[in-house]
């Protein structure tokens, strides 16, 4: 008997190594099924075939997968517990569950899965028994195990009825490896390790006899290319060929992907369109063989030596949907590219000369301007401001410079004629220089755009995005749906349709703390990369379950069967819970009180505004824990990048010394929320909180005061949302929208600050960018007003009437600062300077319409245009605050309170 047990254990160990299934219970269950149906314990213990066992193991694994999904459905991971939200929608891709800091895994796997050529390789991965017998090392067995788990995961992503699948089995294998001596710390190392395992596993299937020969390895064929590195040594060109997979590109110092590639591939005298100084290292690299799938790894992280920690690079980097790799990067075009680089250098030198000439022609305009009579004004002279508008005659002043006593009409006519001729000549010269500059710029832009250098095109397939900092963050992917010609966003369990504009906003960087860290391009010349499976006999496309091998098809059907059973159980439990809820929610009559047994109530203690870190003495452990946590959070230091008040209303109440009765009721309302009752303990806490709320008597709580505190907090979040949206719009070049948000933020924040310093935001940041917006908008309006185009003039009037003037009126009515007065005077001076200039009667009429409102800000009631609604969720505001403040920190260091 002991010998049989020993043999069974040996068989389980062997099967675990062969199949890659690590759970001994799954293996034992599958073994028992096979033995009962096909074998006897004594005569056929070792006759069990791999295919028979693996089929049974997959069935048991499907059952385990269903059980695992069922156990985890309400573990606080953010997924809905409603059965309807668990069911996959028709033609919608499947998401991947985040099982604990695994969003990076989801992004990488989704980008590979939605490459049909790679998906077929994984689903059809198979090793012969001869190869399996030779796999003795730990790494080989581990790689086989990982591939089997990945096959199951891919099969579920193809045919599962679930909206998202659980990757725990595959992820655990990766985590186990990183707990050993192989451990690495950052996500890029995890990703590289994952791809290395895939390469090694496919190597076993491609060429089991010679592990060093990787010519037939599909991973190498798909993702690996070669480049030629050339350098000058002792007067001779020395070159060698190197292989690459994910090609690393630096982000710092470059504006777009082409510049990054030139900086990385050609480190000789590079002449970039946007680079004033060539990079020289004496070495050039040229792609000699491009892979079908070309992956660029953007170096978004660097180590800060002074701070002793890694930092993320938030710089904006643009990349195209289609890139032509033969334009300047292929070794076969070396001579042609070198020749064009010489042309680029010549054109840039020519452009520099033209720009210097243009600056020489326009310098007098910078030094001074001409008034209506053609007489120049020096830069130090200021146009006087006349108030009110009816005072059109300037006051008499003593001339600042010597002047002739009299000028005859003939002399004045002669001077005017000369000035007009000179002005016409200068304008002609300027126009000619501008035309030449445009011509040279167009030649530069088109230097690498002719058809002869646009034959090797690669199309963007996936963009992997990181949001956060170097120490922590979140990952998701944008992947192009080639069949339906659309972009999809894969964010863990959520798969949503997206647009190129949203991708750009999240991926280019420079705007928020989200940016692309990996770009995956695929060759346009190889349609098999994105071609779906077809039936060998009929030639028709195979979709869904039909595209799976039979053994995986059975596995997915079994998992779907368990899922349907789980849904039925859930619906039964849900209906039962609803009945119980209706029963328990019925009003409970109050118990009759016995005056003789009722203790005398203690005298009510006077409420104070002193808040401590200790919760009420009669609070439960859950209340005590939450109260203490939020109080400690309220004591944290406020920095420009984070404000604890945004995280929870109680932090706001603590910092503003709200009455204890307001704080306690707010805490009870939180625990009494029905939406948080997701298990028995939570339901118990919810009921206790509601019972305590019912015990609060009307005389113990001023509800108007309570609601006012919460209204203040709502307005506080609105102010922050307006501020952050305004800053984001400003950085995005949408100045009019930015001013509207900032003006509303300043107005609402003033109301809060009158109630207390900690009730609002420090006005300095709002005021600073409000001034910036006013200056830029006023310059734009002034330029448009002088345009000969009537539409431009109308646009200038709209900017003044709808944006600038209402904001000026509000600034004057508030406690105006010196900086605000300066910008108001700047705007007034700008428009008053038009009074003495020659202009059309229609422009004079338009100027007389709005100039009195510019000069007298108390003449009318002004109402700001309401901005669109903004999101005010705490998580959204916190992450946006961090991103926006970091993006402007280098130019404006402002402490946000």
């Amino acid at each position: 008997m002991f010998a049989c047990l020993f043999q069974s254990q040996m068989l389980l160990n062997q099967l675990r190594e062969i199949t890659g299934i690590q759970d001994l219970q799954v293996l034992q269950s599958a073994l028992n099924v096979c033995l009962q149906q096909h074998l006897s314990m004594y005569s056929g213990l070792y006759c069990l075939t791999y295919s028979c066992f693996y089929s049974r193991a997959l069935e048991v694994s499907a059952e385990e997968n269903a059980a695992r999904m069922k156990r985890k459905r309400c573990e606080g991971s953010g997924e809905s517990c409603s059965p309807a939200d668990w069911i996959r929608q028709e033609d919608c891709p499947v998401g991947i569950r985040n099982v604990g800091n695994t969003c990076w895994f989801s992004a990488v796997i989704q980008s590979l899965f939605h490459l049909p050529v790679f998906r077929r390789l994984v689903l059809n991965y198979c090793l012969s028994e001869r190869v399996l017998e030779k796999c003795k090392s730990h790494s080989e067995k581990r790689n086989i195990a990982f591939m089997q788990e990945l096959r199951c995961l891919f099969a579920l992503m193809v045919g599962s009825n679930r909206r998202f699948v659980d990757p725990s089995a595959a992820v655990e294998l990766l985590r186990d490896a990183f707990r050993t001596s192989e451990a690495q710390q950052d996500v890029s190392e995890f990703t590289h390790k994952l791809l290395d395992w895939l390469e090694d596993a496919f190597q076993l299937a491609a060429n089991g006899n010679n592990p060093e020969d990787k010519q037939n390895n599909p991973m190498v064929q798909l993702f690996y290319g070669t480049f030629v590195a050339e350098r000058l040594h002792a007067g001779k060109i020395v070159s060698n060929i190197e292989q690459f997979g994910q090609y690393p590109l630096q982000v710092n110092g470059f504006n777009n992907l082409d510049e990054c590639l030139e900086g990385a591939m050609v480190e000789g005298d590079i002449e970039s369109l946007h680079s004033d100084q060539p990079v020289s290292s004496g070495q050039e690299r040229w792609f000699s063989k491009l892979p079908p799938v070309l992956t660029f790894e953007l170096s978004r992280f660097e180590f800060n030596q002074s701070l002793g920690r890694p930092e993320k690079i938030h710089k904006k980097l643009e990349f195209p949907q289609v890139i032509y790799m033969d334009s300047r990067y292929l070794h076969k075009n070396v001579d042609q590219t070198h020749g064009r680089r010489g042309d680029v250098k010549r054109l840039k030198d020519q452009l520099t000369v033209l720009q210097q000439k243009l600056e020489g022609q326009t310098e007098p305009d910078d030094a001074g301007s001409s008034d209506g009579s053609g007489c120049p004004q020096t830069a130090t002279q200021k146009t006087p401001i006349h108030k009110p508008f009816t005072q059109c005659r300037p006051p008499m002043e003593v001339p600042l410079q010597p002047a002739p006593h009299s000028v005859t009409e003939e002399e004045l006519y002669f001077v005017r004629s000369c000035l007009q001729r000179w002005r016409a000549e200068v304008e002609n010269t300027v126009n000619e220089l501008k035309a030449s500059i445009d011509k040279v710029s167009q030649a530069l832009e088109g230097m690498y755009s002719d058809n002869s250098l646009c034959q090797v095109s690669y199309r963007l397939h996936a963009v992997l995005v990181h949001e956060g900092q170097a120490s922590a963050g979140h990952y998701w992917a944008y992947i192009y749906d080639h069949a339906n010609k659309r972009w999809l966003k894969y964010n863990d369990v959520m798969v949503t349709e997206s647009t190129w504009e949203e991708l750009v906003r999240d991926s280019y960087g420079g705007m928020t703390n989200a940016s692309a860290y990996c770009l995956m391009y695929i060759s346009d010349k190889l349609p098999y990369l994105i071609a779906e499976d077809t039936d060998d006999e009929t030639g028709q496309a195979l979709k869904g379950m039909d595209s799976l091998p039979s053994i995986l098809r059975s596995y997915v059907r079994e998992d779907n069967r368990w899922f349907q059973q789980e849904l039925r159980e859930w619906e039964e439990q849900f209906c039962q819970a609803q009945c119980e809820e209706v029963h328990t929610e019925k009003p409970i009559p109050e118990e009759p009180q016995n005056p003789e047994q009722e203790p005398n109530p203690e005298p009510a203690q006077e409420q104070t505004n002193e808040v401590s870190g200790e919760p009420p003495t009669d609070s439960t452990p859950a209340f005590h824990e939450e109260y203490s946590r939020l109080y400690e959070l309220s004591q944290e230091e406020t920095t420009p990048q984070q404000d604890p008040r945004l995280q929870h209303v109680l932090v706001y109440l603590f910092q503003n010394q709200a009455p204890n009765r307001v704080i306690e009721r707010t805490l009870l309302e939180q625990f009494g929320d029905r939406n948080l009752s997701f298990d028995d303990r939570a339901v118990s806490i919810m009921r206790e909180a509601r019972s305590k709320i019912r015990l609060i008597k009307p005389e113990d709580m001023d509800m108007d005061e309570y609601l006012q505190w919460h209204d203040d907090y709502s307005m506080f979040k609105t102010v922050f949302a307006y501020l952050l949206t305004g800053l984001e719009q400003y950085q995005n070049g949408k100045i009019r929208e930015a001013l509207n948000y900032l003006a509303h933020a300043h107005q609402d924040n003033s109301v809060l600050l009158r109630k207390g310093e900690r009730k609002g935001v420090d006005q300095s940041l709002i005021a600073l960018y409000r001034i910036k917006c006013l200056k830029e908008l006023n310059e734009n309006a002034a330029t448009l007003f002088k345009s000969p185009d009537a539409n431009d003039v109308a646009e200038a009037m709209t900017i003044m009437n709808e944006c600038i003037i209402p904001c000026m009126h509000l600034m004057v009515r508030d406690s105006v600062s010196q900086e605000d007065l300066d910008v108001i005077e700047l705007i007034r001076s700008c428009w008053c300077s038009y009074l003495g200039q020659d202009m059309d009667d229609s422009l004079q009429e338009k100027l007389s319409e709005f100039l009195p409102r510019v000069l007298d800000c108390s003449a009318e009631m002004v109402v700001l245009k309401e901005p669109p609604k903004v999101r005010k969720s705490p998580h959204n505001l916190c992450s946006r605050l961090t991103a926006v403040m970091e993006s402007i920190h280098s130019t404006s260091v402002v402490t946000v309170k």
Side-chain angles (χ1 to χ4, degrees):
M1 183 63 181
F2 176 77
C4 290
L5 292 175
F6 178 71
Q7 289 176 335
S8 298
Q9 187 60 45
M10 287 183 59
L11 180 58
L12 286 175
N13 292 336
Q14 292 174 0
L15 292 173
R16 180 170 59 178
E17 294 175 358
I18 292 173
T19 63
I21 297 175
Q22 303 296 307
D23 194 324
L24 286 177
Q25 292 183 354
V26 174
L27 294 172
Q28 185 65 60
S29 301
L31 180 61
N32 292 340
V33 172
C34 288
L35 291 175
Q36 292 171 6
Q37 295 184 1
H38 300 284
L39 305 169
S40 66
M41 177 63 74
Y42 298 103
S43 62
L45 186 60
Y46 286 98
C47 298
L48 182 62
T49 64
Y50 165 73
S51 60
C52 168
F53 174 81
Y54 190 62
S55 176
R56 297 300 176 185
L58 283 178
E59 292 178 8
V60 179
S61 180
E63 180 178 350
E64 277 297 304
N65 180 67
R68 180 168 57 242
M69 292 289 289
K70 183 175 181 179
R71 287 194 302 268
K72 292 185 177 181
R73 65 185 172 203
C74 289
E75 289 180 356
S77 58
E79 299 100 10
S80 170
C81 290
S82 171
D85 294 334
W86 276 52
I87 301 173
R88 179 183 183 179
Q89 301 299 314
E90 186 177 0
D91 295 330
C92 182
V94 172
I96 298 179
R97 185 190 187 94
N98 190 330
V99 291
N101 298 324
T102 59
C103 47
W104 66 271
F105 180 85
S106 173
V108 173
I109 291 300
Q110 290 280 21
S111 64
L112 294 173
F113 172 82
H114 288 282
L115 197 59
V117 63
F118 181 80
R119 182 168 68 239
R120 285 192 293 271
L121 288 172
V122 172
L123 292 174
N124 295 300
Y125 180 82
C126 183
L127 296 179
S128 65
E129 294 190 18
R130 180 180 61 82
V131 173
L132 286 171
E133 290 173 358
K134 292 183 178 181
C135 296
K136 302 297 183 183
S137 68
H138 168 71
S139 60
E140 290 176 333
K141 296 173 182 176
R142 177 204 59 205
N143 293 343
I144 294 173
F146 181 76
M147 280 302 300
Q148 300 300 351
E149 294 296 349
L150 193 61
R151 286 188 73 201
C152 293
L153 183 63
F154 272 29
L156 290 174
M157 293 170 70
V158 168
S160 179
N161 292 334
R162 303 176 189 270
R163 187 168 63 87
F164 54 88
V165 295
D166 192 305
S168 297
V171 170
E172 280 305 312
L173 286 171
L174 276 171
R175 284 176 171 168
D176 288 341
F178 280 79
R179 293 188 187 107
T180 65
S181 58
E182 300 179 38
Q184 304 289 338
Q185 295 302 317
D186 59 39
V187 167
S188 65
E189 292 298 329
F190 270 99
T191 304
H192 283 291
K193 184 64 65 178
L194 183 152
L195 297 176
D196 288 343
W197 286 9
L198 291 173
E199 180 185 341
D200 293 342
F202 278 112
Q203 183 63 26
L204 294 173
N207 195 339
N209 295 325
N210 185 3
E212 301 301 324
D213 183 10
K214 297 188 176 183
Q215 294 297 322
N216 297 323
N217 190 321
M219 284 290 292
V220 174
Q221 294 172 346
L222 268 181
F223 296 98
Y224 284 78
T226 58
F227 64 84
V228 177
E230 296 180 343
R231 60 187 177 88
L232 194 63
H233 179 69
K236 296 182 179 180
I237 295 179
V238 180
S239 64
N240 62 294
I241 298 177
E242 300 180 25
Q243 190 179 60
F244 71 91
Q246 286 182 294
Y247 201 89
L249 295 175
Q250 295 296 322
V251 172
N252 264 348
F254 304 105
N255 297 318
N256 56 56
L257 186 60
D258 278 316
E259 292 185 18
C260 290
L261 281 167
E262 279 202 321
M265 298 302 297
V266 189
E267 296 180 354
D269 291 335
I270 301 171
E271 293 298 332
S272 174
L273 280 177
H274 305 283
S275 176
D276 295 329
Q277 310 225 342
V279 182
S280 180
S281 68
Q283 180 170 280
E284 294 181 347
R285 296 187 182 92
W286 305 87
F287 288 115
S288 55
K289 179 185 176 183
L290 291 170
V293 182
L294 183 58
T295 306
F296 297 119
E297 189 178 78
L298 305 182
S299 299
R300 282 284 182 185
F301 303 99
E302 63 181 2
F303 191 81
N304 189 317
Q305 298 288 348
S306 59
L307 298 177
R309 64 168 184 257
E311 289 185 337
K312 184 176 179 182
I313 302 170
H314 294 289
K315 186 182 185 303
K316 181 179 181 180
L317 185 80
E318 299 179 356
F319 49 85
Q321 295 193 63
V322 177
I323 184 170
Y324 296 96
M325 295 303 297
D326 53 341
S327 62
R328 59 191 109 169
Y329 313 118
L330 291 189
H331 188 254
K332 67 179 183 180
N333 294 335
V334 169
D335 295 336
Q336 192 175 4
T337 304
H338 277 157
R340 293 189 179 239
R341 242 182 227 122
D343 294 338
V344 168
K345 186 177 187 308
R346 176 181 56 79
L347 289 172
K348 288 188 69 178
D349 292 341
Q350 184 179 347
L351 185 63
T352 301
V353 172
L354 290 171
Q355 288 172 338
Q356 289 174 349
K357 287 183 178 180
L358 180 62
E359 291 172 1
Q361 291 291 331
T362 56
E363 276 179 2
D365 291 339
D366 297 333
S369 59
S370 176
D371 60 15
S373 63
C375 299
Q377 293 178 331
T378 63
T380 56
Q381 289 178 307
K382 294 185 178 179
T383 303
I385 302 173
H386 314 300
K387 300 179 183 179
F389 178 62
T390 53
Q391 181 186 348
C392 296
R393 181 177 299 171
M396 296 296 294
E397 294 182 0
V398 178
L400 298 178
Q401 297 177 353
H405 294 284
S406 63
V407 180
T408 66
E409 287 294 330
E410 182 179 358
E411 291 172 333
L412 187 60
Y413 176 79
F414 177 75
V415 171
R416 283 178 174 170
S417 300
C418 291
L419 288 175
Q420 289 174 357
R421 180 171 59 84
W422 294 342
R423 177 178 179 180
E425 291 176 355
V426 170
E427 287 179 348
N428 289 335
T429 303
V430 168
N431 291 334
E432 290 174 359
L433 288 172
K434 287 182 177 179
S436 299
I437 289 174
D438 291 340
K439 184 177 180 180
V440 174
S441 299
Q442 290 176 6
L444 281 171
E445 294 288 348
M447 185 58 65
Y448 298 103
S449 300
D450 60 86
N451 291 333
S452 63
L453 293 179
C454 296
Q455 300 300 312
V456 184
S457 60
Y458 276 74
R459 188 169 300 277
L460 190 62
H461 165 69
V463 179
L464 277 62
V465 179
H466 173 267
E467 180 183 34
Q469 306 306 317
S471 57
H474 181 58
Y475 295 83
W476 67 85
Y478 288 99
I479 303 173
Y480 191 65
D481 180 0
H482 301 275
N484 297 303
K485 308 298 182 185
R486 60 178 180 172
W487 284 98
L488 295 176
K489 180 178 181 180
Y490 294 82
N491 190 351
D492 288 337
V493 301
M494 299 297 297
V495 180
T496 55
E497 188 169 351
S498 184
T499 61
W500 173 251
E501 290 71 25
E502 182 184 3
L503 185 154
V504 166
R505 186 171 62 250
D506 285 348
S507 306
Y508 276 7
M511 185 61 196
T512 65
N513 59 355
S515 55
Y517 74 94
C518 184
L519 306 175
M520 186 179 292
Y521 285 86
I522 59 175
S523 174
D524 255 350
K525 304 294 184 181
L526 302 173
Y528 75 89
L529 295 174
I530 57 175
E532 297 293 340
D533 291 334
T534 56
D535 187 272
D536 295 335
E537 297 180 358
T538 64
Q540 294 183 346
L542 297 176
K543 295 184 178 180
M545 298 282 281
D546 293 335
S547 64
L548 295 177
S550 59
I551 193 169
L552 292 177
R553 197 180 306 141
S554 300
Y555 168 68
V556 175
R557 284 173 178 165
E558 185 68 12
D559 183 78
N560 287 338
R561 185 179 67 81
W562 281 103
F563 181 50
Q564 292 300 323
Q565 180 178 335
E566 181 183 351
L567 289 178
R568 286 193 296 269
E569 294 176 357
W570 180 263
E571 290 174 357
E572 292 173 0
Q573 295 174 5
F574 183 77
C575 292
Q576 183 179 356
Q578 286 292 97
C579 295
E580 294 178 356
E581 183 74 17
V582 171
H583 179 71
T584 55
E585 285 297 318
K586 290 182 179 180
I588 302 175
E590 296 184 1
E591 296 181 2
Q593 297 181 352
N594 188 343
E596 297 180 357
Q597 296 179 356
E598 182 179 1
N600 294 328
E602 296 180 1
Q605 297 181 355
E606 183 179 355
Q607 292 284 347
T608 66
N609 284 353
E610 296 182 2
V611 181
S612 67
E614 293 297 324
T617 55
D618 61 342
S619 62
T620 64
F623 298 171
H624 186 283
E625 180 181 349
E626 182 71 353
Y627 187 103
S628 301
R629 181 185 73 84
L630 294 172
Y631 182 83
E632 290 177 3
L633 183 61
S634 70
Q635 304 304 304
E636 289 184 3
E637 181 182 0
T638 299
T639 66
Q641 286 79 20
Q642 63 178 13
D643 191 322
R645 293 176 296 176
L646 289 174
Q647 299 191 31
H648 201 281
V649 61
L650 280 175
V651 177
Y652 182 82
L653 298 179
F654 282 135
Q655 291 198 5
N656 283 284
Q657 297 293 309
N660 287 334
R661 57 182 175 270
V662 174
I663 294 175
E664 291 173 12
R665 185 181 182 98
T666 302
L667 185 65
L668 291 173
E669 293 282 5
Q670 171 186 318
F671 281 102
D673 187 352
R674 184 190 305 276
N675 294 324
L676 300 179
S677 56
F678 51 84
D679 60 17
D680 293 338
R681 179 172 177 269
V683 171
S684 175
I685 295 174
M686 177 196 72
R687 290 174 176 169
E688 182 173 355
R690 290 186 175 185
S691 66
K692 288 181 176 291
I693 292 174
R694 286 194 291 267
L695 291 176
I696 299 177
K697 300 178 181 179
E699 58 267 27
D700 296 334
M701 171 62 66
D702 184 350
M703 287 306 297
D704 291 338
E705 176 192 37
Y706 174 83
L707 294 175
Q708 185 59 56
W709 276 99
H710 284 266
D711 288 343
D712 289 347
Y713 183 65
S714 178
M715 181 179 285
F716 169 78
K717 290 193 297 181
T718 300
V719 168
F720 245 116
Y722 284 159
L723 168 60
L724 296 176
T725 307
L727 294 178
E728 290 166 351
Q729 298 280 25
Y730 177 84
Q731 292 177 329
N732 203 30
K734 298 180 179 180
I735 310 301
R736 293 172 66 174
E737 294 84 351
L739 179 60
N740 192 24
Y741 281 110
L742 293 171
H744 274 281
H746 197 283
Q747 188 179 28
D748 293 345
N749 196 49
S750 299
V751 176
L752 289 174
L753 290 179
R754 285 194 285 268
K755 299 180 180 181
E757 180 183 0
R758 298 296 298 166
K759 288 221 171 175
V761 183
D762 186 4
Q763 290 279 51
S764 58
L765 183 62
I766 308 176
L768 172 65
Y769 277 87
R770 185 176 63 171
I771 289 175
K772 286 177 178 286
C773 290
L774 280 170
K775 287 182 177 179
E776 293 188 29
L777 274 180
N778 188 66
E779 291 175 2
N780 186 26
T783 303
L784 292 172
F785 191 76
K786 293 184 292 185
S787 171
D789 190 343
N791 293 330
D792 290 344
V793 175
E795 179 70 6
M797 296 286 293
T798 301
I799 293 174
M800 292 302 298
N801 289 324
E802 295 183 4
C803 300
I804 295 179
I805 294 176
C807 189
M808 290 175 60
H809 285 218
L810 289 174
M811 291 167 69
V812 170
R813 294 173 188 179
D814 292 336
S815 53
V816 61
S817 65
Q818 185 58 46
E819 291 79 10
D820 291 339
L821 288 175
D822 290 342
V823 74
I824 290 173
E825 290 303 312
L826 178 68
I827 295 171
R828 289 170 174 170
S829 299
C830 171
W831 292 101
C832 286
S833 67
Y834 285 108
L835 291 174
Q837 297 184 16
D838 290 333
M839 62 176 65
D840 295 338
D841 293 339
S842 61
L843 287 182
Q844 286 281 8
E845 183 179 354
K846 288 181 171 59
L847 183 64
S848 62
E849 288 176 4
F850 71 83
L851 191 54
R853 299 171 59 213
V854 172
L855 299 176
D856 186 4
C857 294
S858 61
E860 59 181 319
M861 185 71 178
V862 176
V863 179
L864 277 177
K865 178 183 177 182
E866 280 292 328
K869 291 185 178 180
V870 291
R871 296 173 59 189
K872 297 190 293 183
S873 68
H875 173 74
N876 177 263
L877 292 177
C878 289
S879 62
R880 288 171 64 194
L881 173 63
T882 302
V884 171
M885 291 306 298
E886 285 187 355
S887 66
I888 68 174
H889 194 66
S890 59
T891 58
S892 174
V893 182
V894 181
T895 301
V896 180
K897 294 184 179 180

